[in-house]
Amino acid sequence: MIRDFIYSKATTVKEALDLIEKHKDDYKIICGGQSLLILMRQGLVAPENLIDIKKVKELSYIDFDSKNGLKIGATTIHREIEKSKIIKKHYPILVYMEENLASDQTRNWGTIGGNLCHGDPTGDPGPMFLALDASVKMANKKRERTIPLEEFFVDYFETALEEGELLLEVQIPVILPKTSVVYEKFNIIKNDQGIVSVAALITADKGGKCKNARIVLGGVASTPLRVKKAEQMLIGEKLSDGLLDKIGLKASKLADPVSDIHASEEYRKHLVNVLTKRMVKKAWEQAKASAR
Ligand SMILES: Cc1cc2nc3c(=O)[nH]c(=O)nc-3n(C[C@H](O)[C@H](O)[C@H](O)COP(=O)(O)OP(=O)(O)OC[C@H]3O[C@@H](n4cnc5c(N)ncnc54)[C@H](O)[C@@H]3O)c2cc1C
């Protein structure tokens, strides 16, 4: 049962920050409620004040320019990302990610800001945005700051948001030429949270060698996990089955999953091995083809 709370609604960022200041002793932000309401129903979260930012329209936008890349406002719903023509053109992998994230109903109501702030290591946007080298912009009454997304995820369901801060925007740089970005999750129920997910970005040089690599795992640690030691093994190398085997094995060694009702630790490590090899191969072949 959900405990009683006082409900306030903001329609601007200023109003939201004022309400946060007013209720700073005991409050929770709610946007789509797709994740928060579950925790409230389970009695895991019981705020005295609920501050609704769903109607803060100034945070609902998708902007792109070829110099600074993509900016997505925090209250943008998943569905808008999925259906955005700009995103389809410049970041098609995000459309694929969204098409496989939750149900139509959840995508129609849940927001990208809510997803990131929930801090669930099995979420899809976390690994995907980390592979794309995203940053996040936040603000409280006193200041605005932007940090790499890599610093945003702190622990299970814990983020770098400080007291009084609101997530405003996700920023994703332009994808460089000769680069491919891929993503895959393994799940038991279609369109549900993944058991394990892998995002990979590969940039190839003209000779077919790997110039840049980012590999991020989901669902195998307390936060999305960038496996830098596996990435380093790729730089300056050409793709071979032997190298792919080593990369898959390295990624699975770096993963630190738990066993739960969905999958054992060993099975998750096995999935990391298989998916990492699959994603690196796919990204590399696509990047190489575009480098010709
Ligand atoms: C049935 C179901 C299936 C799902 N499947 C998937 C899936 O496959 N993949 C996946 O990634 N996710 C999945 N989700 C989770 C869902 O996508 C997101 O977590 C959800 O969209 C969160 O957005 P929201 O606006 O509903 O956030 P809310 O539930 O309103 O808030 C979530 C958290 O973020 C905080 N918050 C929200 N906005 C802000 C802000 N701007 N600034 C500061 N704090 C903020 C809240 O205080 C709360 O702690 C699923 C959810 C459901 C119910």
Side-chain angles (χ1 to χ4, degrees):
M1 204 178 73
I2 293 183
R3 281 236 316 263
D4 285 352
F5 53 83
I6 299 163
Y7 174 82
S8 322
K9 192 160 76 179
T11 54
T12 64
V13 170
K14 185 179 178 308
E15 269 177 31
L17 293 177
D18 285 344
L19 283 166
I20 290 173
E21 174 72 12
K22 185 173 166 195
H23 300 301
K24 63 179 175 215
D25 291 337
D26 193 350
Y27 77 93
K28 203 81 187 133
I29 297 290
I30 187 163
C31 199
Q34 296 298 299
S35 297
L36 183 66
L37 285 176
I38 295 171
L39 300 183
M40 289 177 69
R41 235 182 279 135
Q42 291 170 339
L44 296 169
V45 180
E48 206 158 287
N49 293 279
L50 215 48
I51 301 171
D52 188 349
I53 59 164
K54 181 83 177 160
K55 291 278 189 281
V56 178
K57 294 289 172 210
E58 69 193 272
L59 292 183
S60 177
Y61 56 85
I62 294 170
D63 290 336
F64 175 80
D65 75 71
S66 54
K67 189 163 166 263
N68 299 307
L70 184 68
K71 292 182 177 166
I72 310 177
T75 65
T76 307
I77 56 170
H78 293 292
R79 192 64 155 187
E80 276 165 15
I81 298 171
E82 180 190 347
K83 296 291 175 193
S84 159
K85 289 199 173 96
I86 296 174
I87 290 182
K88 191 175 176 188
K89 183 169 177 204
H90 299 283
Y91 303 84
I93 192 65
L94 295 184
V95 173
Y96 174 76
M97 176 200 76
E98 287 291 357
E99 283 169 348
N100 292 286
L101 182 156
S103 58
D104 289 358
Q105 291 89 336
T106 297
R107 293 204 299 281
N108 271 328
W109 208 249
T111 63
I112 199 65
N115 185 294
L116 295 176
C117 294
H118 186 50
D120 183 342
T122 68
D124 294 292
M128 188 72 263
F129 288 166
L130 275 178
L132 288 164
D133 199 12
S135 300
V136 280
K137 187 162 94 178
M138 296 159 279
N140 61 16
K141 287 277 279 181
K142 293 191 191 112
R143 61 165 184 176
E144 201 175 276
R145 66 182 176 125
T146 301
I147 62 168
L149 184 63
E150 216 162 336
E151 292 168 20
F152 185 72
F153 298 115
V154 174
D155 208 337
Y156 286 105
F157 304 98
E158 197 185 324
T159 68
L161 277 172
E162 290 173 3
E163 277 303 308
E165 272 187 328
L166 200 60
L167 181 72
L168 303 180
E169 180 180 273
V170 187
Q171 302 168 349
I172 301 174
V174 172
I175 298 177
L176 295 175
K178 300 162 197 162
T179 299
S180 172
V181 199
V182 296
Y183 179 69
E184 203 66 73
K185 71 174 163 184
F186 182 91
N187 46 7
I188 295 172
I189 302 166
K190 192 175 177 323
N191 283 37
D192 207 348
Q193 311 274 125
I195 303 293
V196 165
S197 63
V198 177
L201 174 148
I202 303 278
T203 306
D205 69 13
K206 270 203 164 161
K209 287 183 179 166
C210 176
K211 201 169 155 191
N212 185 29
R214 291 174 76 92
I215 306 170
V216 189
L217 315 178
V220 295
S222 61
T223 63
L225 183 69
R226 196 172 156 206
V227 282
K228 290 185 186 168
K229 285 188 179 153
E231 293 170 359
Q232 282 155 14
M233 291 165 72
L234 285 161
I235 309 297
E237 299 294 333
K238 282 196 168 185
L239 182 64
S240 69
D241 287 345
L243 181 57
L244 274 179
D245 286 344
K246 283 184 195 158
I247 303 283
L249 217 58
K250 175 59 92 181
S252 77
K253 275 193 182 144
L254 293 167
D256 185 21
V258 291
S259 295
D260 61 19
I261 51 164
H262 303 296
S264 67
E265 178 187 340
E266 292 74 22
Y267 186 53
R268 281 194 163 92
K269 277 184 169 275
H270 170 70
L271 285 173
V272 168
N273 186 348
V274 173
L275 283 183
T276 302
K277 282 197 283 190
R278 195 179 294 165
M279 288 303 97
V280 168
K281 186 166 191 244
K282 188 174 174 186
W284 199 329
E285 282 173 350
Q286 287 177 1
K288 230 169 58 176
S290 70
R292 280 191 200 119

